[in-house]
Amino acid sequence: MTLAEQVQHNFNSSAQISQPAAEPLGPPIARAAERMVQCLLADGKILACGNGGSAADAHLFVSSMINRFERERPGLAAVSLTSATATLTSIASDLDYGMVFARQVAALGSPGDILLAISTTGYSRNVLEAVAMAHEKEMSVVGLTGRDGGDLAGLVREEDVLICVPAEITARIREVHLLTIHSLCDSIDNLLLGV
């Protein structure tokens, strides 16, 4: 297989995952957007976390909330728990890396807020700890994961939303996560500004 053929294979593989995922993921993405808008309209905020590429997805979501997605609107209250390097490293050093997000949720989260917890496998300990802390703080959770949902799927409560990409390959899961985040941002704008 040539390099160009490998690139084409990657595009085709991505489409084979994202196209069939649209139908089962549509309802939970819509529910998540509705809950996020309810939270924001009640003067709540959305906290977002993840590791590696999922941290980048959390950043993207938060920047789209605070600044804008595709339309002009006032900024929306959102915080990326992955962006404060001094905070992350001090918690990791003084406590445990597994607590880097939970400690921030404990300090910044309030009842009625939402945690966007992103983990491609559903097994990231620091994300799971953040979910547990969010529940302690009477926050709801939007879990964005893949494969079988991992331990994250087991932590999701009735008032939470689980968005689980039906794929095994991390790159394909992350591609659908990006599409999901864009869909969330678009849906939030549509709910707030009209279609």
Side-chain angles (χ1 to χ4, degrees):
M1 181 181 298
T2 68
L3 192 56
E5 289 170 338
Q6 180 63 38
V7 170
Q8 186 176 5
H9 169 77
N10 288 336
F11 272 78
N12 290 335
S13 176
S14 183
Q16 289 170 0
I17 296 297
S18 61
Q19 278 297 105
E23 187 174 339
L25 296 185
I29 292 170
R31 267 196 319 278
E34 289 166 347
R35 297 228 177 123
M36 288 176 171
V37 167
Q38 290 168 356
C39 166
L40 294 165
L41 291 176
D43 290 327
K45 63 190 166 300
I46 303 168
L47 308 179
C49 66
N51 296 291
S54 297
D57 289 341
H59 277 297
L60 173 66
F61 175 79
V62 168
S63 69
S64 296
M65 292 293 97
I66 292 174
N67 183 26
R68 62 187 292 266
F69 180 57
E70 291 189 338
R71 296 192 275 172
E72 291 300 328
R73 56 155 166 71
L76 303 172
V79 178
S80 173
L81 304 180
T82 63
S83 60
T85 307
T87 300
L88 289 171
T89 57
S90 69
I91 295 169
S93 175
D94 294 344
L95 297 173
D96 181 281
Y97 188 74
M99 299 304 293
V100 293
F101 302 136
R103 186 81 167 185
Q104 293 181 77
V105 171
L108 301 172
S110 298
D113 287 348
I114 290 178
L115 174 68
L116 174 59
I118 309 171
S119 171
T120 57
T121 64
Y123 290 107
S124 301
R125 184 172 150 245
N126 55 8
V127 173
L128 299 174
E129 294 286 353
V131 169
M133 181 58 69
H135 287 149
E136 280 186 43
K137 298 285 288 189
E138 298 178 23
M139 298 167 57
S140 58
V141 172
V142 173
L144 183 53
T145 188
R147 298 186 176 105
D148 65 358
D151 289 343
L152 181 56
L155 291 179
V156 171
R157 296 178 175 176
E158 187 176 326
E159 66 272 14
D160 299 331
V161 179
L162 181 68
I163 303 167
C164 185
V165 177
E168 295 294 322
I169 299 170
T170 300
R172 302 292 87 86
I173 296 167
R174 290 210 53 247
E175 289 158 4
V176 178
H177 278 190
L178 179 58
L179 183 55
T180 298
I181 287 177
H182 286 165
S183 296
L184 280 171
C185 294
D186 182 61
S187 297
I188 289 167
D189 280 1
N190 286 337
L191 288 167
L192 290 173
L193 304 173
V195 180

